């Protein structure tokens, strides 16, 4: 489930991120205005990461990651209304605040679900899913644009993929609960 979340996040983030400026220029933004939009997203990402980290400390990494992926999906859909100034501002605020949060929340979820014993190895393996998603996302968005002449379907697909990642995150079980179940099973077997 963690690898699925990593894959989905990376696919959507890289796919949308690498085509965002081209999309914005295509809907009427100047190149400099499109670059400013991307810059604002990164500024809000810097703000969103500690906020989602604080949220994870209060609820759980699992829930915080599911929420961040869902919020990012909503923001991705708002991108489709970015022709208007209100739509663009809404996209930047919503997507920007959640866009980078998985980078800090996935390690929290890994520790909560798998413990620390093999964190480095497991983090490296989950990183493979991240790399695969980041590789496929931009290619897929480009293929969709080449086929349809629009990025709309790609952004809709990425929003759905982010929701799938969020749902997968909710399937993660806390490590302590699994350990407690194993100990109870061992005690009842003895």
């Amino acid at each position: 489930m963690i690898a699925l979340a990593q894959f989905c996040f990376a696919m959507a983030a890289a796919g949308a991120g690498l085509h965002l400026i081209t999309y914005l220029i295509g809907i009427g933004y100047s190149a400099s205005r499109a670059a400013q939009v991307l810059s604002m997203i990164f500024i809000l990402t810097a703000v969103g990461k500690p906020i989602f980290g604080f949220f994870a400390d209060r609820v759980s990494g699992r829930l915080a990651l599911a929420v961040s992926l869902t919020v990012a999906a909503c923001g991705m859909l708002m991108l489709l209304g970015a022709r208007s100034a209100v739509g663009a501002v809404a996209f930047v605020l919503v997507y920007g605040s959640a866009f980078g949060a998985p980078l800090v929340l996935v390690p929290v979820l890994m520790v909560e679900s798998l413990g620390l014993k093999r964190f480095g190895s497991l983090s490296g393996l989950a990183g493979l899913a991240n790399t695969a998603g980041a590789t496929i996302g931009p290619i897929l968005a480009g293929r969709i644009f080449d086929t349809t002449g629009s990025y709309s379907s790609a952004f809709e697909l990425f929003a759905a993929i982010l929701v799938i990642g969020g749902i997968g995150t909710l399937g993660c079980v806390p490590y302590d609960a699994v350990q407690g179940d194993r100990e109870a099973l061992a005690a009842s077997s003895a």
Side-chain angles (χ1 to χ4, degrees), residues 117-188:
K117 187 173 183 179
R118 303 263 187 265
F119 179 76
S121 299
L122 295 171
S123 185
L125 289 172
L128 294 174
N130 189 301
T131 300
T135 301
I136 294 169
I139 295 169
L140 181 60
R143 174 64 77 193
I144 289 170
F145 180 81
D146 290 346
T147 303
T148 66
S150 170
Y151 285 111
S152 296
S153 295
F155 296 143
E156 290 167 355
L157 176 64
F158 291 148
I161 286 169
L162 287 167
V163 170
I164 290 168
I167 292 168
T169 297
L170 294 175
C172 294
V173 179
Y175 180 76
D176 293 338
V178 173
Q179 287 301 100
D181 290 346
R182 285 185 185 160
E183 291 170 7
L185 182 61
S188 68

Side-chain angles (χ1 to χ4, degrees), residues 15-81:
L18 290 175
H19 291 277
L20 178 63
I21 298 230
T22 304
Y23 169 74
L24 292 172
I25 290 170
I27 63 170
Y29 285 68
S30 67
S32 64
R33 179 67 65 190
Q36 288 173 347
V37 168
L38 186 58
S39 295
M40 290 306 301
I41 288 170
F42 283 117
I43 289 169
L44 284 170
T45 295
V47 172
K49 285 179 186 180
I51 291 170
F52 273 100
F54 180 80
F55 181 56
D57 287 343
R58 302 299 175 267
V59 294
S60 73
R62 177 178 71 98
L63 183 58
L65 182 56
V67 168
S68 75
L69 291 171
T70 304
V71 170
C74 292
M76 184 78 63
L77 292 176
M78 290 176 181
L79 179 57
L80 300 175

Side-chain angles (χ1 to χ4, degrees), residues 82-130:
R83 286 183 199 273
S84 74
V86 172
V89 168
F91 161 68
V92 168
L93 290 174
V94 173
Y95 186 73
S97 67
F99 168 67
L103 297 173
V104 297
L105 297 175
V106 168
V108 173
L109 177 62
M110 289 184 76
V111 170
E112 288 177 358
S113 300
L114 304 169
L116 285 171
K117 187 173 183 179
R118 303 263 187 265
F119 179 76
S121 299
L122 295 171
S123 185
L125 289 172
L128 294 174
N130 189 301

